[in-house]
Amino acid sequence: MKGVTILGATGSIGISTLDVVGRHPEDYRVVALTARNNVERLLGQCLEYQPQYAVMVEEAAARELRGQIKTRGLKTEVLAGARALEEVAALPESDCVMAAIVGAAGLLATLAAVKAGKRVLLANKESLVMSGGLFMQAVRSYGAELLPIDSEHNALFQCMPNGYRAGARPEGVRRLLLTCSGGPFRGWSRERRHTATPDQACAHPRWKMGRKISVDSATLMNKGLEVNEACWLFDLPPERIDVVVHPQSVVHSLVEYADGSVLAQLGNPDMRTPIACGLAWPERIQAGIQPLDLFGVAHLDFEPPDFAASPCLSLAIEAAKTGGSAPLVLNAANEIAVQAFLSERLRFTAIAEVVSETLERCPSAAAGSIEEVLDHDRRARRVAAGIAAQLMEHSS
Ligand code: NAD
Ligand code: MG
């Protein structure tokens, strides 16, 4: 029986993880579940999965959950605050930690799981983008096992040579082909993108995801973050990673070998596949997925990305090439801009402007410790918020 902790249990990935875990009650038990403030959903999950611990980052939400848990006679212990995320990430009872908090908020808890030598299922790509070198060093030093959950990286991982472990440079690999659905605005003119609303940006044609990653998929920043993520996971430079738009989202990514072989992983677009793969690796378990109907899919199309319409993609690839603090500054500025867009204070096309301008004002510097990473992150957020505020004034 394996113990599983889910950081970000109430989100899209968290819910899919519980769905897979719930199909195998003899093999997995839930040790801890965490959320920021969604009491109702976390309570429902506690009732169903009876974890030993539940964490709510916000104190008031934790108090409310504690009361509800007591009323219902559950044994789950409720902890409060961001520090508690790190505690439950390192519990000896859990073998496996799903890192599915969104954004930089997931960094310290994900690292705590790494430092506790867990099998870490990495959905929270932002933590790797922010601290790649330090993160991968910690994976090696503490003997953690890193399994990529992002569907593309999970696909690449599955196409790697036998016995491959994330972080090593794979033998005989020429390049990685990272597929990209193109997002909800594929083919939209710049004018139309200019007035795009949060609901339009979150209406992804293939994947149902949290709102932040949905906006990232619309700007293609998500793919840019994923190029950075792939560089760290597979120890390859950005020059050896190509982005391929594939609107059907059936081929989840491809690995090209020196002899010309190209291996791909295919499947229905459902995150329960990579989640089940990560949980059970190298075994395979049921994940509740319908068989892939290739006759129904009929066509697999591939096209180059529209870099001109998606400046965020180029900015993120440039940041990967620059290195140092550039990727983490990019990530921080993007989080600020996406938040402003989602609360309808910034227009869609201004997200790239905020990111680009922040990168200019925060030139790349060394980020040799987590404290430095957090310093750069805070500074970039302040700068980005200032730029976003100016852009808002001009547009109002
Ligand atoms: P989501 O918004 O649906 O869920 C986010 C979770 O994080 C929630 O449980 C929320 O309570 C928690 N959270 C939010 N802010 C927090 C904070 N400040 N402190 C602690 N917890 C906080 O997001 P999601 O779509 O599930 O994405 C989660 C992560 O997985 C992201 O990094 C995303 O890029 C990655 N990912 C998601 C998908 C997908 O299909 N949804 C695919 C690939 C990668
Ligand atoms: Mg992805």
Side-chain angles (χ1 to χ4, degrees):
M1 189 88 145
K2 293 211 177 86
V4 181
T5 285
I6 305 176
L7 306 170
T10 54
S12 159
I13 294 286
I15 291 169
S16 294
T17 306
L18 283 171
D19 181 281
V20 177
V21 165
R23 290 167 193 274
H24 305 278
E26 290 85 39
D27 300 318
Y28 301 99
R29 87 194 138 77
V30 178
V31 176
L33 297 176
T34 85
R36 183 171 57 181
N37 58 11
N38 189 339
V39 175
E40 197 183 326
R41 188 165 286 159
L42 196 59
L43 176 66
Q45 294 178 336
C46 287
L47 288 168
E48 193 172 348
Y49 296 95
Q50 317 231 334
Q52 271 168 271
Y53 301 94
V55 178
M56 300 248 60
V57 174
E58 292 182 8
E59 300 276 347
R63 273 197 299 280
E64 197 186 329
L65 182 70
R66 207 171 281 130
Q68 300 266 13
I69 294 252
K70 207 168 163 200
T71 312
R72 287 171 170 78
L74 275 181
K75 292 204 183 67
T76 303
E77 185 177 335
V78 179
L79 308 174
R83 271 288 155 81
L85 297 172
E86 293 174 60
E87 282 167 37
V88 298
L91 285 170
E93 295 91 329
S94 53
D95 304 283
C96 179
V97 175
M98 166 56 82
I101 292 172
V102 59
L107 174 64
L108 294 180
T110 306
L111 269 178
V114 168
K115 289 184 178 168
K118 304 294 182 195
R119 168 174 286 207
V120 178
L121 309 188
L122 186 71
N124 175 231
K125 66 191 90 186
E126 295 92 341
S127 56
L128 197 51
V129 173
M130 289 175 75
S131 69
L134 293 165
F135 190 107
M136 295 312 295
Q137 186 52 49
V139 167
R140 283 187 285 273
S141 312
Y142 293 92
E145 187 185 14
L146 191 59
L147 285 148
I149 297 303
D150 214 344
S151 57
E152 298 77 3
H153 305 72
N154 184 267
L156 294 168
F157 177 78
Q158 292 193 51
C159 296
M160 288 296 167
N162 267 345
Y164 177 77
R165 277 179 79 104
R169 180 165 293 192
E171 292 276 326
V173 168
R174 192 150 67 189
R175 97 187 143 127
L176 307 179
L177 295 140
L178 204 58
T179 56
C180 168
S181 70
F185 301 156
R186 190 173 67 96
W188 282 34
S189 65
R190 185 166 167 85
E191 292 64 43
R192 210 170 152 210
R193 285 169 194 247
H194 208 63
T195 55
T197 66
D199 283 344
Q200 287 173 323
C202 291
H204 197 280
R206 302 281 167 204
W207 301 95
K208 176 112 196 50
M209 310 179 285
R211 285 173 81 76
K212 189 263 177 183
I213 184 175
S214 295
V215 176
D216 287 349
S217 301
T219 57
L220 297 204
M221 178 59 92
N222 183 50
K223 210 48 55 182
L225 295 175
E226 290 184 359
V227 169
N228 282 265
E229 185 186 12
C231 291
W232 291 114
L233 285 171
F234 305 111
D235 189 30
L236 288 168
E239 291 78 7
R240 285 170 63 185
I241 302 171
D242 284 340
V243 174
V244 179
V245 174
H246 165 50
Q248 290 88 358
S249 297
V250 167
V251 178
H252 296 306
S253 279
L254 314 91
V255 177
E256 184 180 278
Y257 283 88
D259 63 3
S261 297
V262 179
L263 303 192
Q265 186 258 357
L266 281 70
N268 287 320
D270 188 318
M271 288 308 291
R272 289 175 303 175
T273 296
I275 290 167
C277 172
L279 277 169
W281 187 258
E283 283 164 34
R284 300 285 182 168
I285 56 172
Q286 272 285 350
I289 309 292
Q290 291 299 313
L292 176 63
D293 173 11
L294 275 179
F295 300 124
V297 175
H299 298 280
L300 296 175
D301 297 315
F302 301 97
E303 58 192 61
D306 184 348
F307 285 100
S310 310
C312 285
L313 179 59
S314 313
L315 288 168
I317 295 173
E318 266 321 299
K321 290 180 182 164
T322 306
S325 63
L328 86 93
V329 167
L330 169 106
N331 178 68
N334 182 56
E335 286 191 27
I336 293 293
V338 169
Q339 200 47 54
F341 168 68
L342 281 173
S343 51
E344 298 187 58
R345 289 177 291 122
L346 193 71
R347 62 196 154 67
F348 181 74
T349 42
I351 296 173
E353 291 174 48
V354 171
V355 174
S356 158
E357 183 87 27
T358 308
L359 280 163
E360 262 172 48
R361 292 204 210 161
C362 304
S364 179
S369 67
I370 289 301
E371 291 67 36
E372 278 182 15
V373 166
L374 296 174
D375 277 350
H376 285 303
D377 177 73
R378 273 191 290 270
R379 165 141 196 274
R381 278 167 201 271
R382 270 199 308 276
V383 171
I387 297 165
Q390 271 180 346
L391 288 169
M392 289 171 212
E393 264 171 39
H394 287 162
S395 64
S396 60

